[in-house]
Amino acid sequence: MSPRMVTPVEIGSVVEPVLRIVWSDGHHSVYGWRSLRLHCPCAACKGEWTVRRHLDPASVPENVRALRIERVGAYALRPVWTDGHSTGIYTFPNLRHEICECDECTARRAAGG
Ligand SMILES: [Zn+2]
Ligand SMILES: [Zn+2]
């Protein structure tokens, strides 16, 4: 297993104001529900990788949140959203390294790294 393939050791409850995930590498991630929804990686939201498009934020309710979060095999999570969407499969590396919104990752991204 690659050292970058981290796994969640703790997944926060969907009733909390934000989603929290504690990773096997000790990192504590936090995600706003709506921004997590806007990052949905499925083909309907993001397009195929050859034809990238962006999900229109206006189409996502302000108060969207996950009803539940299902594990997909040993590599991803699939949230079932209150807006009825549930085809987005968020891989662990994507969640951990690309869309984490903790202070550390937000600062690193703002610095261009
Ligand atoms: Zn989607
Ligand atoms: Zn982070």
Side-chain angles (χ1 to χ4, degrees):
M1 187 183 281
S2 127
R4 277 178 68 85
M5 190 53 180
V6 294
T7 54
V9 291
E10 234 183 277
I11 299 173
S13 164
V14 294
V15 302
E16 288 183 29
V18 292
L19 174 63
R20 294 178 192 280
I21 297 178
V22 180
W23 296 98
S24 54
D25 65 356
H27 194 77
H28 288 233
S29 286
V30 54
Y31 311 87
W33 290 115
R34 188 163 185 271
S35 72
L36 192 64
R37 172 68 182 85
L38 290 171
H39 276 112
C40 181
C42 85
C45 296
K46 274 281 163 73
E48 301 299 336
W49 71 274
T50 46
V51 194
R52 299 297 283 187
R53 61 197 174 91
H54 288 284
L55 178 61
D56 178 7
S59 71
V60 176
E62 289 293 333
N63 61 353
V64 74
R65 54 188 299 124
L67 291 167
R68 60 178 190 276
I69 296 177
E70 299 173 350
R71 282 211 187 218
V72 180
Y75 73 99
L77 299 177
R78 186 171 72 93
V80 176
W81 298 99
T82 50
D83 66 355
H85 197 65
S86 64
T87 48
I89 292 173
Y90 296 69
T91 63
F92 295 156
N94 181 36
L95 286 164
R96 167 64 182 82
H97 300 289
E98 287 167 43
I99 63 174
C100 175
E101 296 181 335
C102 77
D103 292 347
E104 187 187 326
C105 294
T106 305
R108 181 172 47 78
R109 235 171 268 126

